Amino acid sequence: KTLEGAIFTLDLSNIFSSLGLYVGDHVQCTWDFNCSPAGPPNKLSLTITTKDETPPITAIAFVGTQGNNGWYVSDVQFSLSAQDTCGSGVDKTEYSYDNETWFTYTDPVTVTDEGETMVYYRSTDNAGTVEVDQIETIKIDKTPPTITGATTTSPNANGWWKSDVVVHFVATDTVSEIDTVTPDVTISTEGAGQSVIGTAFDMAGNSAQYTVAGINLD
Protein backbone atom coordinates (compact mmCIF):
# COMPACT_ATOMS: atom_id res chain seq x y z
CA LYS A 1 0.00 0.00 0.00
CA THR A 2 1.27 3.47 -0.88
CA LEU A 3 0.94 6.65 1.14
CA GLU A 4 0.97 10.12 -0.44
CA GLY A 5 1.29 13.54 1.12
CA ALA A 6 2.82 16.99 0.68
CA ILE A 7 6.16 17.11 2.42
CA PHE A 8 7.24 20.63 1.45
CA THR A 9 5.52 23.86 0.36
CA LEU A 10 7.40 26.90 -0.99
CA ASP A 11 5.84 30.36 -1.35
CA LEU A 12 7.31 31.91 -4.53
CA SER A 13 5.71 35.33 -4.11
CA ASN A 14 8.79 37.03 -2.69
CA ILE A 15 11.11 35.44 -5.24
CA PHE A 16 9.12 36.46 -8.29
CA SER A 17 8.23 39.90 -6.97
CA SER A 18 11.92 40.72 -6.47
CA LEU A 19 12.43 39.94 -10.15
CA GLY A 20 9.53 42.06 -11.18
CA LEU A 21 7.54 38.96 -12.12
CA TYR A 22 4.12 38.12 -10.79
CA VAL A 23 3.16 34.52 -11.51
CA GLY A 24 -0.55 34.20 -11.13
CA ASP A 25 -0.66 37.82 -9.98
CA HIS A 26 -3.37 39.06 -12.33
CA VAL A 27 -6.94 40.17 -11.86
CA GLN A 28 -10.21 39.36 -13.47
CA CYS A 29 -12.84 42.10 -13.90
CA THR A 30 -16.52 42.08 -14.68
CA TRP A 31 -18.25 44.43 -17.11
CA ASP A 32 -18.79 46.92 -14.30
CA PHE A 33 -15.07 46.89 -13.38
CA ASN A 34 -15.53 44.78 -10.24
CA CYS A 35 -12.11 43.18 -10.13
CA SER A 36 -10.71 40.30 -8.02
CA PRO A 37 -7.50 38.21 -8.01
CA ALA A 38 -7.51 35.20 -10.28
CA GLY A 39 -5.14 32.45 -11.19
CA PRO A 40 -3.02 30.02 -9.21
CA PRO A 41 -1.27 31.03 -5.97
CA ASN A 42 2.43 31.70 -6.09
CA LYS A 43 3.23 28.44 -4.29
CA LEU A 44 5.01 25.24 -5.26
CA SER A 45 4.21 21.94 -3.52
CA LEU A 46 6.43 18.86 -3.60
CA THR A 47 4.71 15.52 -3.09
CA ILE A 48 6.42 12.18 -2.50
CA THR A 49 4.96 8.68 -2.66
CA THR A 50 6.27 6.14 -0.14
CA LYS A 51 5.73 2.43 0.43
CA ASP A 52 5.41 0.86 3.90
CA GLU A 53 6.51 -2.76 3.51
CA THR A 54 7.96 -3.17 7.02
CA PRO A 55 5.58 -4.97 9.41
CA PRO A 56 5.00 -3.82 12.98
CA ILE A 57 6.77 -5.48 15.90
CA THR A 58 4.64 -6.84 18.76
CA ALA A 59 5.93 -7.58 22.28
CA ILE A 60 4.24 -9.75 24.87
CA ALA A 61 4.55 -9.46 28.66
CA PHE A 62 3.31 -11.79 31.41
CA VAL A 63 2.13 -11.22 34.98
CA GLY A 64 1.77 -14.17 37.34
CA THR A 65 3.41 -16.11 40.16
CA GLN A 66 6.39 -17.93 38.71
CA GLY A 67 7.26 -21.42 39.83
CA ASN A 68 10.05 -23.65 38.59
CA ASN A 69 11.11 -24.80 35.12
CA GLY A 70 9.14 -22.11 33.29
CA TRP A 71 5.84 -22.94 35.01
CA TYR A 72 3.47 -20.51 36.70
CA VAL A 73 1.63 -21.54 39.86
CA SER A 74 -1.17 -18.99 39.41
CA ASP A 75 -3.39 -17.54 36.70
CA VAL A 76 -1.34 -15.63 34.11
CA GLN A 77 -2.21 -12.30 32.53
CA PHE A 78 -0.59 -11.34 29.23
CA SER A 79 -0.49 -7.94 27.56
CA LEU A 80 0.52 -7.00 24.00
CA SER A 81 2.17 -3.81 22.77
CA ALA A 82 3.08 -3.00 19.17
CA GLN A 83 5.28 -0.46 17.39
CA ASP A 84 5.54 0.40 13.71
CA THR A 85 8.99 1.74 12.94
CA CYS A 86 8.20 2.70 9.34
CA GLY A 87 5.77 5.37 10.46
CA SER A 88 2.36 4.44 9.06
CA GLY A 89 1.28 3.41 12.56
CA VAL A 90 -0.31 0.33 14.07
CA ASP A 91 -3.84 -0.42 12.88
CA LYS A 92 -4.64 -3.43 15.09
CA THR A 93 -3.15 -6.18 17.26
CA GLU A 94 -4.62 -9.67 17.43
CA TYR A 95 -4.18 -12.89 19.40
CA SER A 96 -5.28 -16.49 18.99
CA TYR A 97 -5.09 -19.80 20.84
CA ASP A 98 -5.19 -22.04 17.76
CA ASN A 99 -3.75 -19.85 14.96
CA GLU A 100 -7.15 -19.98 13.26
CA THR A 101 -9.63 -17.94 15.27
CA TRP A 102 -8.24 -14.46 15.98
CA PHE A 103 -9.39 -11.88 18.53
CA THR A 104 -8.68 -8.14 18.44
CA TYR A 105 -6.53 -7.19 21.43
CA THR A 106 -7.75 -4.27 23.53
CA ASP A 107 -6.93 -5.06 27.18
CA PRO A 108 -4.75 -7.55 29.11
CA VAL A 109 -6.00 -11.15 28.86
CA THR A 110 -6.05 -13.64 31.76
CA VAL A 111 -5.35 -17.34 31.19
CA THR A 112 -6.72 -19.63 33.90
CA ASP A 113 -6.47 -23.10 32.36
CA GLU A 114 -3.83 -25.41 33.78
CA GLY A 115 -1.39 -27.07 31.42
CA GLU A 116 0.29 -25.56 28.38
CA THR A 117 -1.55 -22.83 26.47
CA MET A 118 -0.24 -21.63 23.13
CA VAL A 119 -0.70 -17.90 22.47
CA TYR A 120 -0.29 -16.61 18.90
CA TYR A 121 -0.13 -12.87 18.30
CA ARG A 122 0.49 -10.35 15.50
CA SER A 123 -0.10 -6.75 14.47
CA THR A 124 -1.09 -4.98 11.25
CA ASP A 125 -0.04 -1.43 10.35
CA ASN A 126 -2.10 1.23 8.58
CA ALA A 127 -0.49 0.33 5.27
CA GLY A 128 -1.92 -3.20 5.58
CA THR A 129 1.42 -4.90 6.27
CA VAL A 130 0.90 -7.89 8.58
CA GLU A 131 3.50 -9.12 11.04
CA VAL A 132 4.56 -12.77 10.88
CA ASP A 133 2.65 -14.72 13.56
CA GLN A 134 4.50 -14.84 16.88
CA ILE A 135 3.98 -17.59 19.47
CA GLU A 136 4.54 -18.08 23.20
CA THR A 137 3.65 -20.97 25.51
CA ILE A 138 2.10 -20.29 28.91
CA LYS A 139 2.54 -23.17 31.37
CA ILE A 140 0.29 -23.16 34.45
CA ASP A 141 0.17 -25.68 37.30
CA LYS A 142 -1.79 -24.51 40.34
CA THR A 143 -2.47 -27.96 41.80
CA PRO A 144 -0.11 -29.67 44.29
CA PRO A 145 0.88 -33.25 43.57
CA THR A 146 -0.73 -36.23 45.29
CA ILE A 147 1.44 -38.33 47.61
CA THR A 148 0.76 -41.45 49.64
CA GLY A 149 3.02 -43.70 51.71
CA ALA A 150 3.08 -47.00 53.55
CA THR A 151 5.41 -49.49 55.15
CA THR A 152 6.75 -52.20 52.86
CA THR A 153 6.05 -54.90 55.47
CA SER A 154 3.18 -55.47 57.86
CA PRO A 155 3.35 -55.57 61.68
CA ASN A 156 2.33 -58.54 63.78
CA ALA A 157 -1.13 -58.98 65.21
CA ASN A 158 -0.29 -56.57 68.02
CA GLY A 159 0.87 -53.82 65.65
CA TRP A 160 4.60 -54.25 66.25
CA TRP A 161 7.56 -54.86 63.98
CA LYS A 162 10.52 -56.87 65.18
CA SER A 163 12.95 -55.74 62.42
CA ASP A 164 13.81 -52.53 60.62
CA VAL A 165 10.81 -50.87 58.97
CA VAL A 166 10.99 -49.41 55.44
CA VAL A 167 8.53 -46.66 54.50
CA HIS A 168 7.89 -46.09 50.77
CA PHE A 169 6.22 -43.05 49.20
CA VAL A 170 4.44 -42.75 45.86
CA ALA A 171 3.52 -39.43 44.20
CA THR A 172 1.62 -38.42 41.06
CA ASP A 173 0.96 -35.14 39.27
CA THR A 174 -1.33 -34.79 36.27
CA VAL A 175 -0.16 -31.36 35.08
CA SER A 176 3.58 -30.69 35.21
CA GLU A 177 4.55 -34.18 36.48
CA ILE A 178 6.59 -35.15 39.53
CA ASP A 179 10.00 -33.64 40.07
CA THR A 180 11.09 -35.25 43.36
CA VAL A 181 9.62 -37.45 46.07
CA THR A 182 11.07 -38.56 49.39
CA PRO A 183 12.98 -41.81 48.87
CA ASP A 184 12.51 -44.89 51.05
CA VAL A 185 13.05 -44.23 54.73
CA THR A 186 14.31 -47.00 57.04
CA ILE A 187 13.41 -46.91 60.73
CA SER A 188 15.86 -48.85 62.87
CA THR A 189 15.36 -47.09 66.20
CA GLU A 190 13.17 -49.00 68.59
CA GLY A 191 10.13 -47.33 70.04
CA ALA A 192 6.39 -46.94 69.81
CA GLY A 193 4.30 -44.46 67.85
CA GLN A 194 6.98 -43.43 65.38
CA SER A 195 6.15 -41.64 62.12
CA VAL A 196 7.75 -40.60 58.84
CA ILE A 197 6.81 -37.58 56.69
CA GLY A 198 7.22 -37.79 52.91
CA THR A 199 7.27 -34.77 50.59
CA ALA A 200 6.66 -34.54 46.86
CA PHE A 201 7.40 -31.63 44.49
CA ASP A 202 6.07 -31.27 40.99
CA MET A 203 7.97 -29.62 38.14
CA ALA A 204 6.26 -26.29 38.85
CA GLY A 205 7.44 -26.27 42.46
CA ASN A 206 4.11 -27.16 44.12
CA SER A 207 4.53 -29.53 47.05
CA ALA A 208 2.51 -31.93 49.20
CA GLN A 209 3.24 -34.06 52.26
CA TYR A 210 2.03 -37.36 53.64
CA THR A 211 2.64 -38.85 57.09
CA VAL A 212 2.96 -42.57 57.80
CA ALA A 213 2.32 -42.93 61.54
CA GLY A 214 1.82 -45.63 64.13
CA ILE A 215 5.12 -47.43 63.62
CA ASN A 216 6.07 -49.57 66.63
CA LEU A 217 9.48 -51.22 66.51
CA ASP A 218 10.89 -53.64 69.04
Side-chain angles (χ1 to χ4, degrees), residues 97-145:
Y97 297 116
D98 57 9
N99 205 23
E100 294 182 1
T101 303
W102 290 85
F103 306 94
T104 299
Y105 175 82
T106 54
D107 298 300
V109 181
T110 300
V111 178
T112 61
D113 293 342
E114 292 189 283
E116 298 188 13
T117 299
M118 310 292 282
V119 178
Y120 302 83
Y121 57 97
R122 67 189 182 192
S123 293
T124 304
D125 64 20
N126 288 309
T129 307
V130 183
E131 179 183 14
V132 175
D133 297 347
Q134 307 297 315
I135 183 172
E136 288 285 350
T137 301
I138 300 175
K139 302 192 297 182
I140 300 176
D141 184 355
K142 299 177 286 186
T143 306

Side-chain angles (χ1 to χ4, degrees), residues 8-107:
F8 182 73
T9 300
L10 175 64
D11 189 344
L12 303 178
S13 299
N14 294 332
I15 298 176
F16 286 116
S17 61
S18 65
L19 299 175
L21 302 175
Y22 299 92
V23 177
D25 188 15
H26 62 275
V27 296
Q28 178 174 309
C29 300
T30 62
W31 64 272
D32 57 353
F33 297 100
N34 183 12
C35 300
S36 62
N42 296 326
K43 294 183 179 180
L44 174 66
S45 294
L46 176 63
T47 300
I48 187 170
T49 300
T50 62
K51 287 186 177 181
D52 183 357
E53 298 178 338
T54 303
I57 299 175
T58 307
I60 188 169
F62 302 101
V63 175
T65 303
Q66 292 186 336
N68 299 333
N69 302 301
W71 288 85
Y72 288 88
V73 293
S74 69
D75 295 342
V76 176
Q77 185 182 82
F78 70 85
S79 57
L80 301 174
S81 58
Q83 292 184 336
D84 186 58
T85 57
C86 193
S88 66
V90 177
D91 177 35
K92 64 180 178 178
T93 299
E94 303 171 290
Y95 67 94
S96 171
Y97 297 116
D98 57 9
N99 205 23
E100 294 182 1
T101 303
W102 290 85
F103 306 94
T104 299
Y105 175 82
T106 54
D107 298 300

Side-chain angles (χ1 to χ4, degrees), residues 120-212:
Y120 302 83
Y121 57 97
R122 67 189 182 192
S123 293
T124 304
D125 64 20
N126 288 309
T129 307
V130 183
E131 179 183 14
V132 175
D133 297 347
Q134 307 297 315
I135 183 172
E136 288 285 350
T137 301
I138 300 175
K139 302 192 297 182
I140 300 176
D141 184 355
K142 299 177 286 186
T143 306
T146 299
I147 181 172
T148 59
T151 58
T152 59
T153 57
S154 300
N156 62 20
N158 297 315
W160 284 81
W161 282 265
K162 61 179 181 180
S163 61
D164 292 349
V165 180
V166 177
V167 179
H168 179 71
F169 294 96
V170 176
T172 58
D173 188 86
T174 59
V175 184
S176 62
E177 300 184 350
I178 292 296
D179 184 16
T180 63
V181 61
T182 299
D184 289 354
V185 177
T186 300
I187 297 179
S188 57
T189 302
E190 295 181 284
Q194 300 185 69
S195 62
V196 177
I197 299 175
T199 304
F201 287 89
D202 62 21
M203 296 298 293
N206 299 304
S207 65
Q209 292 185 329
Y210 186 86
T211 301
V212 178

